[in-house]
Amino acid sequence: MALNVKYAPIPIPAVFLEEVSEAKYDLIFLDIDMPSISGMQIASELNKQGSNTTLIFVSNHSNFVFEAFRYSAYRFIRKNNLLSDTAEAISLFCNALKTKENYVTLDLENKKNIHIDLSGVKYFFSIRHDIFL
């Protein structure tokens, strides 16, 4: 399973928000205190876009912890504990992904969709143009 993480300085928030709407990320770190836009404002825009990306807020200002809950923050990392808090958060996030049930949706020719729990699939095989699992 590949983890898609976005961690980069945000030069232009509008560019970042456009990029995030086009590419789906599993995890985004947002600094709350930035010069042109706050991490909370970006989280608000992500919510408006319907993003279900996991957010981790980073700040020296612990008074923002409760505001971060509005955006279903996975973690709030204090800058003075950046290395240890980040390592712990990423480790817990990756472990949670491993235990999460994985489903796949198959689009059938008759315009019906079926959802399959991948943990119950033992193997796939095909005969001509038919795929069996």
Side-chain angles (χ1 to χ4, degrees):
M1 170 190 329
L3 180 64
N4 195 359
V5 178
K6 179 68 176 179
Y7 183 79
I10 303 172
I12 303 170
V15 172
F16 172 76
L17 288 169
E18 183 179 322
E19 179 184 316
V20 169
S21 69
E22 293 172 6
K24 301 300 178 200
Y25 293 100
D26 297 306
L27 182 62
I28 297 176
F29 289 82
L30 290 173
D31 192 338
I32 291 177
D33 192 18
M34 296 185 288
S36 62
I37 188 171
S38 77
M40 296 295 178
Q41 290 170 304
I42 290 175
S44 177
E45 287 299 317
L46 291 172
N47 275 357
K48 288 177 188 173
Q49 292 176 5
S51 172
N52 62 353
T53 301
T54 300
L55 301 177
I56 293 180
F57 288 98
V58 180
S59 183
N60 276 328
H61 307 289
S62 59
N63 55 318
F64 286 111
V65 170
F66 293 105
E67 189 174 345
F69 287 133
R70 290 184 192 167
Y71 306 104
S72 302
Y74 184 72
R75 288 281 189 274
F76 188 95
I77 294 177
R78 301 159 295 177
K79 286 185 180 179
N80 60 342
N81 290 355
L82 188 63
L83 291 178
S84 62
D85 286 358
T86 300
E88 177 189 27
I90 291 174
S91 176
L92 291 171
F93 181 76
C94 289
N95 286 335
L97 278 182
K98 286 181 200 174
T99 60
K100 189 172 146 181
E101 292 183 16
N102 291 312
Y103 289 88
V104 66
T105 301
L106 300 177
D107 298 324
L108 304 178
E109 289 178 1
N110 59 2
K111 305 292 184 201
K112 290 186 180 179
N113 297 333
I114 58 170
H115 305 284
I116 298 173
D117 179 2
L118 293 177
S119 65
V121 176
K122 302 295 182 213
Y123 58 91
F124 288 88
F125 69 93
S126 68
I127 299 175
R128 298 190 187 262
H129 298 289
D130 297 321
I131 299 173
F132 301 87
L133 53 121

